Amino acid sequence: MMDFRVGFGYDSHRFAPGRPLVIGGIVIPYELGLAAHSDGDVLIHAVCDALLGAAGLKDIGTWFPDTDAAYKNADSTLLLAKVVELVHGKGWQVNNLDCTLVLERPKMKPHIDDIIAKLSQLLETPTENIAVKAKTNEKMGFTGAGEGIAAVAAVTLRK
Ligand code: MG
């Protein structure tokens, strides 16, 4: 009998000048980045929370507090690698990941395959089990106004 878990994650960050835009571990050419204690990788943070939630390991703030100087401008892919280690340590394997970015701009289509490849590597899960979508919010709310980016992620784990 296979044991199975579902996890869900959400994150959002505000655009800020003078920072690189990093989404899903990929640097996206754009005039604004995301304000954060870490590199502000909104997608990776949502994925971390989905994984931690599924494994019963609380949340990203518990493991990597934004009051800790060690995580200043941290590369979020390193945080995700640590989260995957924790999840594996509990005996879980990532079965699949499905996530959505909500933003008006920049256009994500040219970068989606690179992000999927990066997530596949980090999650040790085949690319066909990973989906990354991007959509606008039809000009509504903070994402629609171009104030920032939101990301949601759902993950399943198996053991
Ligand atoms: Mg975050």
Side-chain angles (χ1 to χ4, degrees), residues 86-107:
L86 290 165
V87 166
H88 286 170
K90 286 271 185 179
W92 297 105
Q93 294 298 317
V94 178
N95 188 63
N96 83 303
L97 167 71
D98 186 13
C99 44
T100 301
L101 287 157
V102 185
L103 74 172
E104 295 295 319
R105 60 205 164 87
K107 287 286 171 225

Side-chain angles (χ1 to χ4, degrees), residues 38-94:
S38 69
D39 64 4
D41 193 327
V42 64
L43 182 60
I44 295 281
H45 296 174
V47 171
C48 284
D49 262 356
L51 288 164
L52 291 169
L57 291 167
K58 302 199 169 152
D59 64 8
I60 192 169
T62 303
W63 293 95
F64 314 109
D66 64 8
T67 48
D68 188 333
Y71 304 118
K72 181 123 179 76
N73 295 318
D75 175 348
S76 294
T77 63
L78 299 178
L79 308 187
L80 178 54
K82 175 68 183 166
V83 165
V84 169
E85 206 179 289
L86 290 165
V87 166
H88 286 170
K90 286 271 185 179
W92 297 105
Q93 294 298 317
V94 178

